[in-house]
Amino acid sequence: MLREHIAEILVHEDELRQRVRDLGAEISQAYEGRKPLLVAVLKGSVIFMADLMRALTVPHAIDFMATSSYGAATESSGVVRILKDLDEPIEGKDVLIVEDIIDSGNTLHYLRGLLLARNPASLRIVSLLSKPARRQVDVPVDWIGFEIPDKFVVGYGLDFAELYRDLPFIGVLKEEYYRHLLGEED
Ligand code: IMP
Ligand code: MG
């Protein structure tokens, strides 16, 4: 689980559990009498999605999209590419995008435009985390789980070079492991 690679825990397991439960209640209320389609952005949001689904009291369907990620680097290029599109059309549906984190805002800005062009009945966004200090483009996010400082975080689905997704909390990676994983030496 690589727990010893973590410098600091920003959001503990019990805080995540409680917040996801509360988000589930709020989102259920907002979609009362409807059947939203939850669209998770792979891969970072899978754990959040799985927990959020079970906190919802409204019937719902799920689908997945994948966008190009940073790879091993931790900075956004501003360029977003679709690696996997939705299985079904979303015209006339109540779509809820489920994201792990909004950082520069580029990914959600692009996805929002792309999905709005397909004429859903409504389009809303929930993001587990937000780093407001890093925003380059403004995106209307309907629900945010936690605002966090400008630090690179892992755990609860979020990775660095595909590792650490299984950690049950949101933590900051020790700097020595960035360097190690990037293959840098000093
Ligand atoms: P944005 O396009 O800059 O808003 O970045 C969004 C995507 O970058 C997220 O969906 C994450 O996959 C990834 N990302 C941004 N910040 C972090 C972080 O601190 N840890 C892990 N992944 C991150
Ligand atoms: Mg992501």
Side-chain angles (χ1 to χ4, degrees):
M1 216 167 70
L2 306 178
R3 170 66 184 83
E4 61 277 13
H5 292 195
I6 301 302
E8 178 194 358
I9 296 181
L10 290 186
V11 189
H12 289 270
E13 195 172 352
D14 56 331
E15 297 175 290
L16 284 166
R17 196 178 305 120
Q18 188 55 55
R19 186 69 183 121
V20 173
R21 206 174 285 161
D22 291 347
L23 284 171
E26 284 179 38
I27 291 169
S28 296
Q29 204 168 26
Y31 288 104
E32 186 79 57
R34 324 206 49 120
K35 195 187 86 178
L37 173 69
L38 275 56
V39 171
V41 187
L42 294 172
K43 305 172 195 169
S45 57
V46 290
I47 300 204
F48 177 42
M49 172 81 141
D51 284 345
L52 183 65
M53 286 172 70
R54 288 174 290 181
L56 292 182
T57 55
V58 285
H60 56 275
I62 63 170
D63 205 342
F64 297 91
M65 283 190 92
T67 57
S68 56
S69 74
Y70 298 170
T74 60
E75 290 295 319
S76 176
S77 59
V79 177
V80 181
R81 215 156 44 91
I82 296 297
L83 303 179
K84 184 218 170 294
D85 206 336
L86 297 173
D87 290 341
E88 305 280 343
I90 57 167
E91 186 165 355
K93 294 186 181 169
D94 291 302
V95 175
L96 176 65
I97 299 178
V98 179
E99 233 318 16
D100 53 355
I101 184 165
I102 175 164
D103 186 32
S104 69
N106 287 318
T107 305
L108 279 176
H109 174 77
Y110 177 81
L111 272 185
R112 188 170 175 274
L114 185 84
L115 297 188
L116 276 177
R118 298 178 186 180
N119 296 316
S122 66
L123 181 65
R124 289 195 246 196
I125 300 176
V126 56
S127 181
L128 178 70
L129 304 172
S130 172
K131 284 187 213 169
R134 306 239 323 155
R135 205 76 84 249
Q136 290 170 11
V137 42
D138 216 29
V139 188
V141 180
D142 300 272
W143 294 277
I144 286 172
F146 300 91
E147 290 202 339
I148 60 168
D150 182 8
K151 292 181 176 175
F152 192 81
V153 294
V154 295
Y156 198 71
L158 288 96
D159 75 308
F160 178 71
E162 295 299 325
L163 292 175
Y164 311 106
R165 295 192 196 275
D166 53 317
L167 291 172
F169 50 76
I170 302 290
V172 181
L173 198 59
K174 285 181 185 165
E175 237 181 271
E176 61 202 274
Y177 294 105
Y178 277 89
R179 284 208 296 274
H180 170 70
L181 287 168
L182 288 168
E184 287 173 12
E185 314 219 329
D186 63 353

